[in-house]
């Protein structure tokens, strides 16, 4: 066997060895996908429970923004607030009510 033939044989063998893990890796990937699908179905039930918590977090953020905006208006830092800003401040009572409702709902669960 010539020198170049030996090199080519080594290359082929190396390439073959590299492809074997790829096929076993592909099988493992398929198995993982199936496992993830079953976990995703279980997680859907958990997402329904976390929606009120997520909404509560967002409402608290809005309330914090409203309080900051109101403080700027009261201190005179914001002289001419836009109409949208005034509407946002006016909705403070609605948001506080929604937060209280969601907190009660979360306590019941």
């Amino acid at each position: 066997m010539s020198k170049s033939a030996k090199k080519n044989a080594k290359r082929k063998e190396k390439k073959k060895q590299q492809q074997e893990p790829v096929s076993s890796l592909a099988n493992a990937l398929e198995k993982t996908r199936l496992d993830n699908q079953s976990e995703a179905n279980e997680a859907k039930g958990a997402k329904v429970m976390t929606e009120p918590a997520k909404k509560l977090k967002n409402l608290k953020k809005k309330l914090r923004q409203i309080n900051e905006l109101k403080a700027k208006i009261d201190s005179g830092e914001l002289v001419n607030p836009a109409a949208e800003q005034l509407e946002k401040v006016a909705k403070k009572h609605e948001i506080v009510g929604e937060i209280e409702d969601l907190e009660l709902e979360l306590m019941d669960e």
Side-chain angles (χ1 to χ4, degrees), residues 29-73:
L29 183 61
E30 276 299 315
K31 186 176 180 184
T32 305
R33 285 183 187 160
L34 295 174
D35 291 342
N36 287 344
Q37 287 175 352
S38 63
E39 289 174 6
N41 290 339
E42 292 172 4
K44 284 182 182 177
K47 284 182 183 177
V48 173
M49 290 182 188
T50 59
E51 281 186 33
K54 187 175 180 181
K55 188 170 183 175
L56 180 64
K57 180 183 168 189
N58 289 336
L59 287 173
K60 284 185 177 182
K61 181 180 176 184
K62 282 184 182 181
L63 183 61
R64 186 177 62 246
Q65 290 172 342
I66 289 171
N67 288 334
E68 290 171 0
L69 185 60
K70 185 156 176 48
K72 285 181 181 181
I73 292 171

Side-chain angles (χ1 to χ4, degrees), residues 1-7 9:
M1 199 181 229
S2 70
K3 197 174 188 182
S4 60
K6 287 180 184 178
K7 267 187 179 178

Side-chain angles (χ1 to χ4, degrees), residues 44-108:
K44 284 182 182 177
K47 284 182 183 177
V48 173
M49 290 182 188
T50 59
E51 281 186 33
K54 187 175 180 181
K55 188 170 183 175
L56 180 64
K57 180 183 168 189
N58 289 336
L59 287 173
K60 284 185 177 182
K61 181 180 176 184
K62 282 184 182 181
L63 183 61
R64 186 177 62 246
Q65 290 172 342
I66 289 171
N67 288 334
E68 290 171 0
L69 185 60
K70 185 156 176 48
K72 285 181 181 181
I73 292 171
D74 291 343
S75 69
E77 187 178 334
L78 191 60
V79 181
N80 295 324
E84 295 88 16
Q85 292 173 322
L86 294 174
E87 288 175 21
K88 191 172 190 177
V89 172
K91 290 183 180 181
K92 180 178 179 177
H93 295 291
E94 292 175 31
I95 292 175
V96 169
E98 286 183 51
I99 289 173
E100 290 172 354
D101 292 343
L102 282 172
E103 286 176 341
L104 289 173
E105 185 179 323
L106 287 174
M107 291 178 115
D108 291 341

